[in-house]
């Protein structure tokens, strides 16, 4: 899978969901990179891009892969690898979050 395919398959909504970020009905949310009282991060689902309109934000704008890179403070290569994982192309070992979530679900099923 090349970069173009990853960008075509990965939606910005998937990335937002992965980081537990939810947008309002106008596709805006509070920017995760600075203190926000009102939503300043605009999401563009049709183009899978985002822009922060706050004057005190250094994040600027980008696509789904750049959002992963900024959220994880990672390199472009690491962000592309994570993007491929989110597309379902690469399977990785479960992290602690996935293990705890699975355990929590199994506990709730037994009740």
């Amino acid at each position: 899978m090349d970069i173009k395919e990853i960008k075509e398959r990965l939606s910005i909504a998937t990335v937002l969901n992965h980081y537990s970020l939810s947008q309002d009905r106008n596709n805006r949310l509070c920017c995760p990179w600075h203190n926000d009282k009102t939503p300043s991060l605009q999401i563009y689902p049709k183009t899978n891009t985002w822009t922060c309109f706050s004057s005190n934000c250094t994040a600027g704008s980008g696509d789904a892969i750049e959002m992963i890179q900024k959220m994880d403070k990672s390199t472009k290569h690491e962000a592309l690898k994570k993007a491929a994982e989110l597309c379902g192309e690469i399977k990785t070992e479960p992290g602690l979050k996935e293990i705890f979530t699975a355990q929590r679900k199994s506990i709730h099923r037994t009740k």
Side-chain angles (χ1 to χ4, degrees):
M1 179 183 287
D2 63 4
I3 296 172
K4 185 177 178 181
E5 285 180 278
I6 292 171
K7 286 186 175 189
E8 287 172 359
R9 291 182 59 187
L10 182 65
S11 73
I12 193 84
T14 302
V15 175
L16 291 172
N17 188 38
H18 175 75
Y19 292 106
S20 302
L21 299 171
S22 58
Q23 54 192 339
D24 65 13
R25 60 187 170 93
N26 296 317
N27 294 324
R28 292 188 194 139
L29 61 129
C30 290
C31 183
W33 298 292
H34 63 89
N35 289 334
D36 236 356
K37 293 180 183 173
T38 59
S40 64
L41 188 70
Q42 180 71 48
I43 304 298
Y44 302 101
K46 289 183 180 177
T47 58
N48 278 329
T49 57
W50 54 270
T51 300
C52 182
F53 290 102
S54 177
S55 60
N56 63 345
C57 185
T58 59
S61 61
D63 61 11
I65 294 170
E66 288 172 289
M67 180 171 270
I68 293 170
Q69 186 177 357
K70 289 185 183 295
M71 291 296 292
D72 291 346
K73 295 181 177 108
S74 64
T75 64
K76 187 81 163 184
H77 178 75
E78 293 168 332
L80 284 166
K81 188 175 177 183
K82 185 156 196 172
E85 290 171 14
L86 291 174
C87 287
E89 199 61 30
I90 299 173
K91 301 293 183 199
T92 60
E93 293 293 318
L96 287 176
K97 182 179 177 184
E98 290 82 9
I99 292 170
F100 288 134
T101 303
Q103 287 177 343
R104 196 175 316 126
K105 285 180 182 177
S106 67
I107 291 170
H108 289 294
R109 282 188 215 141
T110 58
K111 289 184 178 180

PDB file of all heavy atoms in Angstrom, residues 2 5-6 9 14 19 28 37 39-40 42 47 49 57 59-60 65 68 85 88-91 102 107:
ATOM      1  N   ASP A   2       0.661   2.150  -0.950  1.00  0.00           N
ATOM      2  CA  ASP A   2       1.465   3.361  -0.995  1.00  0.00           C
ATOM      3  C   ASP A   2       0.743   4.520  -0.302  1.00  0.00           C
ATOM      4  O   ASP A   2      -0.388   4.382   0.152  1.00  0.00           O
ATOM      5  CB  ASP A   2       1.856   3.717  -2.422  1.00  0.00           C
ATOM      6  CG  ASP A   2       0.664   4.035  -3.314  1.00  0.00           C
ATOM      7  OD1 ASP A   2      -0.477   4.049  -2.810  1.00  0.00           O
ATOM      8  OD2 ASP A   2       0.871   4.289  -4.506  1.00  0.00           O
ATOM      9  N   GLU A   5      -2.733   5.567  -1.630  1.00  0.00           N
ATOM     10  CA  GLU A   5      -3.805   4.634  -1.244  1.00  0.00           C
ATOM     11  C   GLU A   5      -4.220   4.840   0.211  1.00  0.00           C
ATOM     12  O   GLU A   5      -5.408   4.799   0.526  1.00  0.00           O
ATOM     13  CB  GLU A   5      -3.344   3.190  -1.435  1.00  0.00           C
ATOM     14  CG  GLU A   5      -3.309   2.725  -2.855  1.00  0.00           C
ATOM     15  CD  GLU A   5      -2.837   1.286  -2.931  1.00  0.00           C
ATOM     16  OE1 GLU A   5      -1.606   1.081  -2.896  1.00  0.00           O
ATOM     17  OE2 GLU A   5      -3.692   0.393  -2.996  1.00  0.00           O
ATOM     18  N   ILE A   6      -3.242   5.045   1.084  1.00  0.00           N
ATOM     19  CA  ILE A   6      -3.557   5.270   2.494  1.00  0.00           C
ATOM     20  C   ILE A   6      -4.408   6.526   2.634  1.00  0.00           C
ATOM     21  O   ILE A   6      -5.425   6.531   3.320  1.00  0.00           O
ATOM     22  CB  ILE A   6      -2.266   5.384   3.338  1.00  0.00           C
ATOM     23  CG1 ILE A   6      -1.542   4.040   3.382  1.00  0.00           C
ATOM     24  CG2 ILE A   6      -2.580   5.860   4.752  1.00  0.00           C
ATOM     25  CD1 ILE A   6      -0.164   4.098   4.009  1.00  0.00           C
ATOM     26  N   ARG A   9      -7.966   5.868   1.492  1.00  0.00           N
ATOM     27  CA  ARG A   9      -8.749   4.963   2.338  1.00  0.00           C
ATOM     28  C   ARG A   9      -9.014   5.482   3.743  1.00  0.00           C
ATOM     29  O   ARG A   9     -10.012   5.132   4.359  1.00  0.00           O
ATOM     30  CB  ARG A   9      -8.044   3.609   2.434  1.00  0.00           C
ATOM     31  CG  ARG A   9      -8.075   2.848   1.129  1.00  0.00           C
ATOM     32  CD  ARG A   9      -7.424   1.510   1.227  1.00  0.00           C
ATOM     33  NE  ARG A   9      -8.056   0.677   2.241  1.00  0.00           N
ATOM     34  CZ  ARG A   9      -7.580  -0.496   2.616  1.00  0.00           C
ATOM     35  NH1 ARG A   9      -6.488  -0.970   2.082  1.00  0.00           N
ATOM     36  NH2 ARG A   9      -8.195  -1.196   3.532  1.00  0.00           N
ATOM     37  N   THR A  14     -12.196   8.756  10.916  1.00  0.00           N
ATOM     38  CA  THR A  14     -11.569   7.602  11.565  1.00  0.00           C
ATOM     39  C   THR A  14     -10.466   8.067  12.510  1.00  0.00           C
ATOM     40  O   THR A  14     -10.340   7.568  13.627  1.00  0.00           O
ATOM     41  CB  THR A  14     -10.986   6.648  10.510  1.00  0.00           C
ATOM     42  OG1 THR A  14     -12.038   6.230   9.636  1.00  0.00           O
ATOM     43  CG2 THR A  14     -10.339   5.438  11.147  1.00  0.00           C
ATOM     44  N   TYR A  19      -8.704   9.143  18.263  1.00  0.00           N
ATOM     45  CA  TYR A  19      -8.208   9.998  19.342  1.00  0.00           C
ATOM     46  C   TYR A  19      -9.336  10.518  20.243  1.00  0.00           C
ATOM     47  O   TYR A  19      -9.118  11.416  21.045  1.00  0.00           O
ATOM     48  CB  TYR A  19      -7.414  11.170  18.770  1.00  0.00           C
ATOM     49  CG  TYR A  19      -6.122  10.712  18.141  1.00  0.00           C
ATOM     50  CD1 TYR A  19      -5.971  10.673  16.767  1.00  0.00           C
ATOM     51  CD2 TYR A  19      -5.065  10.278  18.929  1.00  0.00           C
ATOM     52  CE1 TYR A  19      -4.802  10.231  16.187  1.00  0.00           C
ATOM     53  CE2 TYR A  19      -3.889   9.828  18.362  1.00  0.00           C
ATOM     54  CZ  TYR A  19      -3.762   9.804  16.996  1.00  0.00           C
ATOM     55  OH  TYR A  19      -2.597   9.359  16.433  1.00  0.00           O
ATOM     56  N   ARG A  28     -16.762  21.355  13.552  1.00  0.00           N
ATOM     57  CA  ARG A  28     -15.753  22.075  14.326  1.00  0.00           C
ATOM     58  C   ARG A  28     -15.539  21.384  15.659  1.00  0.00           C
ATOM     59  O   ARG A  28     -16.436  20.745  16.190  1.00  0.00           O
ATOM     60  CB  ARG A  28     -16.197  23.509  14.580  1.00  0.00           C
ATOM     61  CG  ARG A  28     -16.236  24.345  13.360  1.00  0.00           C
ATOM     62  CD  ARG A  28     -16.503  25.786  13.728  1.00  0.00           C
ATOM     63  NE  ARG A  28     -16.864  26.504  12.526  1.00  0.00           N
ATOM     64  CZ  ARG A  28     -17.826  27.402  12.456  1.00  0.00           C
ATOM     65  NH1 ARG A  28     -18.508  27.718  13.524  1.00  0.00           N
ATOM     66  NH2 ARG A  28     -18.093  27.996  11.327  1.00  0.00           N
ATOM     67  N   LYS A  37     -11.530  27.807  24.155  1.00  0.00           N
ATOM     68  CA  LYS A  37     -12.827  27.983  24.809  1.00  0.00           C
ATOM     69  C   LYS A  37     -13.953  27.773  23.818  1.00  0.00           C
ATOM     70  O   LYS A  37     -15.018  27.281  24.161  1.00  0.00           O
ATOM     71  CB  LYS A  37     -12.921  29.375  25.436  1.00  0.00           C
ATOM     72  CG  LYS A  37     -11.976  29.563  26.601  1.00  0.00           C
ATOM     73  CD  LYS A  37     -12.092  30.928  27.205  1.00  0.00           C
ATOM     74  CE  LYS A  37     -11.073  31.083  28.324  1.00  0.00           C
ATOM     75  NZ  LYS A  37     -11.044  32.441  28.829  1.00  0.00           N
ATOM     76  N   PRO A  39     -14.733  26.266  19.714  1.00  0.00           N
ATOM     77  CA  PRO A  39     -14.123  25.425  18.677  1.00  0.00           C
ATOM     78  C   PRO A  39     -13.439  26.262  17.592  1.00  0.00           C
ATOM     79  O   PRO A  39     -14.040  27.164  17.019  1.00  0.00           O
ATOM     80  CB  PRO A  39     -15.306  24.655  18.100  1.00  0.00           C
ATOM     81  CG  PRO A  39     -16.328  24.667  19.181  1.00  0.00           C
ATOM     82  CD  PRO A  39     -16.162  25.976  19.886  1.00  0.00           C
ATOM     83  N   SER A  40     -12.171  25.966  17.344  1.00  0.00           N
ATOM     84  CA  SER A  40     -11.426  26.683  16.308  1.00  0.00           C
ATOM     85  C   SER A  40     -10.852  25.746  15.249  1.00  0.00           C
ATOM     86  O   SER A  40     -10.312  26.200  14.255  1.00  0.00           O
ATOM     87  CB  SER A  40     -10.293  27.487  16.939  1.00  0.00           C
ATOM     88  OG  SER A  40      -9.363  26.628  17.549  1.00  0.00           O
ATOM     89  N   GLN A  42     -11.448  23.411  12.330  1.00  0.00           N
ATOM     90  CA  GLN A  42     -12.464  23.101  11.315  1.00  0.00           C
ATOM     91  C   GLN A  42     -12.062  21.829  10.581  1.00  0.00           C
ATOM     92  O   GLN A  42     -10.925  21.691  10.136  1.00  0.00           O
ATOM     93  CB  GLN A  42     -12.584  24.260  10.314  1.00  0.00           C
ATOM     94  CG  GLN A  42     -13.602  24.033   9.222  1.00  0.00           C
ATOM     95  CD  GLN A  42     -15.029  24.087   9.746  1.00  0.00           C
ATOM     96  OE1 GLN A  42     -15.392  24.995  10.471  1.00  0.00           O
ATOM     97  NE2 GLN A  42     -15.829  23.108   9.375  1.00  0.00           N
ATOM     98  N   THR A  47     -12.577  16.567   1.847  1.00  0.00           N
ATOM     99  CA  THR A  47     -11.174  16.561   1.429  1.00  0.00           C
ATOM    100  C   THR A  47     -10.260  15.879   2.440  1.00  0.00           C
ATOM    101  O   THR A  47      -9.049  15.801   2.217  1.00  0.00           O
ATOM    102  CB  THR A  47     -10.674  18.007   1.198  1.00  0.00           C
ATOM    103  OG1 THR A  47     -10.834  18.753   2.408  1.00  0.00           O
ATOM    104  CG2 THR A  47     -11.427  18.669   0.063  1.00  0.00           C
ATOM    105  N   THR A  49      -9.282  16.935   5.339  1.00  0.00           N
ATOM    106  CA  THR A  49      -8.311  17.893   5.843  1.00  0.00           C
ATOM    107  C   THR A  49      -8.875  18.653   7.032  1.00  0.00           C
ATOM    108  O   THR A  49     -10.064  18.550   7.333  1.00  0.00           O
ATOM    109  CB  THR A  49      -7.904  18.904   4.745  1.00  0.00           C
ATOM    110  OG1 THR A  49      -9.075  19.557   4.270  1.00  0.00           O
ATOM    111  CG2 THR A  49      -7.185  18.216   3.600  1.00  0.00           C
ATOM    112  N   CYS A  57      -2.326  29.245  17.634  1.00  0.00           N
ATOM    113  CA  CYS A  57      -2.081  27.829  17.372  1.00  0.00           C
ATOM    114  C   CYS A  57      -0.997  27.678  16.311  1.00  0.00           C
ATOM    115  O   CYS A  57      -1.050  28.320  15.263  1.00  0.00           O
ATOM    116  CB  CYS A  57      -3.362  27.143  16.914  1.00  0.00           C
ATOM    117  SG  CYS A  57      -3.165  25.374  16.699  1.00  0.00           S
ATOM    118  N   ALA A  59      -0.337  24.655  14.988  1.00  0.00           N
ATOM    119  CA  ALA A  59      -0.626  23.447  14.223  1.00  0.00           C
ATOM    120  C   ALA A  59      -0.942  23.756  12.762  1.00  0.00           C
ATOM    121  O   ALA A  59      -0.593  22.994  11.877  1.00  0.00           O
ATOM    122  CB  ALA A  59      -1.778  22.677  14.858  1.00  0.00           C
ATOM    123  N   GLY A  60      -1.629  24.851  12.517  1.00  0.00           N
ATOM    124  CA  GLY A  60      -1.929  25.235  11.137  1.00  0.00           C
ATOM    125  C   GLY A  60      -3.009  24.387  10.515  1.00  0.00           C
ATOM    126  O   GLY A  60      -4.148  24.370  10.977  1.00  0.00           O
ATOM    127  N   ILE A  65      -3.108  12.201   7.883  1.00  0.00           N
ATOM    128  CA  ILE A  65      -1.790  11.692   8.284  1.00  0.00           C
ATOM    129  C   ILE A  65      -1.039  12.733   9.115  1.00  0.00           C
ATOM    130  O   ILE A  65      -0.409  12.399  10.121  1.00  0.00           O
ATOM    131  CB  ILE A  65      -0.982  11.255   7.051  1.00  0.00           C
ATOM    132  CG1 ILE A  65      -1.673  10.046   6.411  1.00  0.00           C
ATOM    133  CG2 ILE A  65       0.452  10.910   7.421  1.00  0.00           C
ATOM    134  CD1 ILE A  65      -1.154   9.640   5.074  1.00  0.00           C
ATOM    135  N   ILE A  68      -2.357  12.667  12.639  1.00  0.00           N
ATOM    136  CA  ILE A  68      -1.763  11.562  13.405  1.00  0.00           C
ATOM    137  C   ILE A  68      -0.357  11.958  13.861  1.00  0.00           C
ATOM    138  O   ILE A  68       0.013  11.761  15.018  1.00  0.00           O
ATOM    139  CB  ILE A  68      -1.712  10.268  12.561  1.00  0.00           C
ATOM    140  CG1 ILE A  68      -3.122   9.760  12.289  1.00  0.00           C
ATOM    141  CG2 ILE A  68      -0.865   9.201  13.252  1.00  0.00           C
ATOM    142  CD1 ILE A  68      -3.183   8.643  11.268  1.00  0.00           C
ATOM    143  N   GLU A  85      -2.362   1.141   9.825  1.00  0.00           N
ATOM    144  CA  GLU A  85      -3.019   0.326  10.854  1.00  0.00           C
ATOM    145  C   GLU A  85      -4.488   0.716  10.972  1.00  0.00           C
ATOM    146  O   GLU A  85      -5.364  -0.148  11.078  1.00  0.00           O
ATOM    147  CB  GLU A  85      -2.335   0.515  12.210  1.00  0.00           C
ATOM    148  CG  GLU A  85      -0.962  -0.074  12.304  1.00  0.00           C
ATOM    149  CD  GLU A  85      -0.243   0.325  13.590  1.00  0.00           C
ATOM    150  OE1 GLU A  85      -0.901   0.845  14.520  1.00  0.00           O
ATOM    151  OE2 GLU A  85       0.976   0.122  13.663  1.00  0.00           O
ATOM    152  N   GLY A  88      -6.666  -0.677   8.570  1.00  0.00           N
ATOM    153  CA  GLY A  88      -6.875  -2.111   8.714  1.00  0.00           C
ATOM    154  C   GLY A  88      -5.917  -2.932   7.893  1.00  0.00           C
ATOM    155  O   GLY A  88      -6.074  -4.133   7.747  1.00  0.00           O
ATOM    156  N   GLU A  89      -4.904  -2.297   7.349  1.00  0.00           N
ATOM    157  CA  GLU A  89      -3.962  -2.989   6.471  1.00  0.00           C
ATOM    158  C   GLU A  89      -2.881  -3.721   7.249  1.00  0.00           C
ATOM    159  O   GLU A  89      -2.441  -4.783   6.880  1.00  0.00           O
ATOM    160  CB  GLU A  89      -3.320  -1.969   5.523  1.00  0.00           C
ATOM    161  CG  GLU A  89      -2.699  -2.567   4.310  1.00  0.00           C
ATOM    162  CD  GLU A  89      -3.665  -3.319   3.419  1.00  0.00           C
ATOM    163  OE1 GLU A  89      -4.844  -2.975   3.364  1.00  0.00           O
ATOM    164  OE2 GLU A  89      -3.214  -4.282   2.778  1.00  0.00           O
ATOM    165  N   ILE A  90      -2.448  -3.139   8.373  1.00  0.00           N
ATOM    166  CA  ILE A  90      -1.385  -3.731   9.179  1.00  0.00           C
ATOM    167  C   ILE A  90      -1.951  -4.086  10.543  1.00  0.00           C
ATOM    168  O   ILE A  90      -2.581  -3.274  11.188  1.00  0.00           O
ATOM    169  CB  ILE A  90      -0.206  -2.743   9.351  1.00  0.00           C
ATOM    170  CG1 ILE A  90       0.388  -2.387   7.993  1.00  0.00           C
ATOM    171  CG2 ILE A  90       0.848  -3.309  10.276  1.00  0.00           C
ATOM    172  CD1 ILE A  90       1.431  -1.294   8.065  1.00  0.00           C
ATOM    173  N   LYS A  91      -1.720  -5.279  10.973  1.00  0.00           N
ATOM    174  CA  LYS A  91      -2.145  -5.705  12.310  1.00  0.00           C
ATOM    175  C   LYS A  91      -0.954  -5.615  13.252  1.00  0.00           C
ATOM    176  O   LYS A  91       0.131  -6.058  12.927  1.00  0.00           O
ATOM    177  CB  LYS A  91      -2.665  -7.156  12.288  1.00  0.00           C
ATOM    178  CG  LYS A  91      -3.836  -7.366  11.355  1.00  0.00           C
ATOM    179  CD  LYS A  91      -5.050  -6.641  11.846  1.00  0.00           C
ATOM    180  CE  LYS A  91      -6.228  -6.930  10.938  1.00  0.00           C
ATOM    181  NZ  LYS A  91      -7.289  -6.012  11.024  1.00  0.00           N
ATOM    182  N   ALA A 102     -10.790  -4.789  26.206  1.00  0.00           N
ATOM    183  CA  ALA A 102     -11.278  -6.162  26.048  1.00  0.00           C
ATOM    184  C   ALA A 102     -11.643  -6.771  27.399  1.00  0.00           C
ATOM    185  O   ALA A 102     -12.668  -7.443  27.533  1.00  0.00           O
ATOM    186  CB  ALA A 102     -10.230  -7.017  25.345  1.00  0.00           C
ATOM    187  N   ILE A 107     -15.820  -8.386  31.392  1.00  0.00           N
ATOM    188  CA  ILE A 107     -16.376  -8.269  32.750  1.00  0.00           C
ATOM    189  C   ILE A 107     -17.852  -7.897  32.674  1.00  0.00           C
ATOM    190  O   ILE A 107     -18.687  -8.452  33.384  1.00  0.00           O
ATOM    191  CB  ILE A 107     -15.581  -7.248  33.592  1.00  0.00           C
ATOM    192  CG1 ILE A 107     -14.194  -7.797  33.901  1.00  0.00           C
ATOM    193  CG2 ILE A 107     -16.322  -6.898  34.866  1.00  0.00           C
ATOM    194  CD1 ILE A 107     -13.255  -6.777  34.507  1.00  0.00           C
TER     195      ILE A 107
END
